[in-house]
Amino acid sequence: LSSSSSRASGPGRCGFASLFHLPTRTFAGGRVTRECVSAVVYSEGLGNFVTGGNEARLSFWGGTSFSSRVGRSWTSVPAAYALTADGPSGLVVGGVGNVMDCLAGKSRVSSYTL
């Protein structure tokens, strides 16, 4: 981790996300996160990794590493346990409760109650 990410640890920080390059078995990147990460997906359309966890927010991470957070989006799902990327920039998030959110880009466009 870089020095900026190590300063992010402390109260209110409980998660960690990391990437491994499987063919070479090497660590490719990682970050301390605010949320306890429970779902990760890569959106080709956005060019970002998207993480969800025990908060009602999604985090968007730049490029193909967790080097910097490039955005956050609020969801109506209290805690995200399932993420899927669909199409050029579509995301669906589900988790705790009976609600699924659909996002276009980084903005919620609809919610479905099950």
Side-chain angles (χ1 to χ4, degrees):
L1 294 175
S2 68
S3 61
S4 62
S5 64
S6 62
R7 282 185 270 131
S9 62
R13 307 286 180 177
C14 70
F16 184 79
S18 62
L19 293 173
F20 292 92
H21 185 256
L22 294 177
T24 60
R25 299 180 188 164
T26 57
F27 177 75
R31 285 295 276 192
V32 173
T33 63
R34 179 183 163 115
E35 66 274 2
C36 295
V37 176
S38 57
V40 179
V41 68
Y42 181 75
S43 171
E44 288 186 44
L46 295 172
N48 297 131
F49 278 99
V50 183
T51 60
N54 63 332
E55 294 183 331
R57 294 187 225 11
L58 299 178
S59 293
F60 297 86
W61 301 91
T64 56
S65 70
F66 287 104
S67 59
S68 64
R69 184 171 39 219
V70 295
R72 294 193 79 168
S73 291
W74 288 90
T75 68
S76 59
V77 178
Y81 291 114
L83 284 170
T84 185
D86 184 39
S89 62
L91 292 168
V92 177
V93 58
V96 173
N98 60 346
V99 177
M100 287 187 346
D101 281 348
C102 297
L103 290 86
K106 297 177 184 174
S107 302
R108 184 172 35 143
V109 292
S110 61
S111 294
Y112 296 98
T113 303
L114 307 173

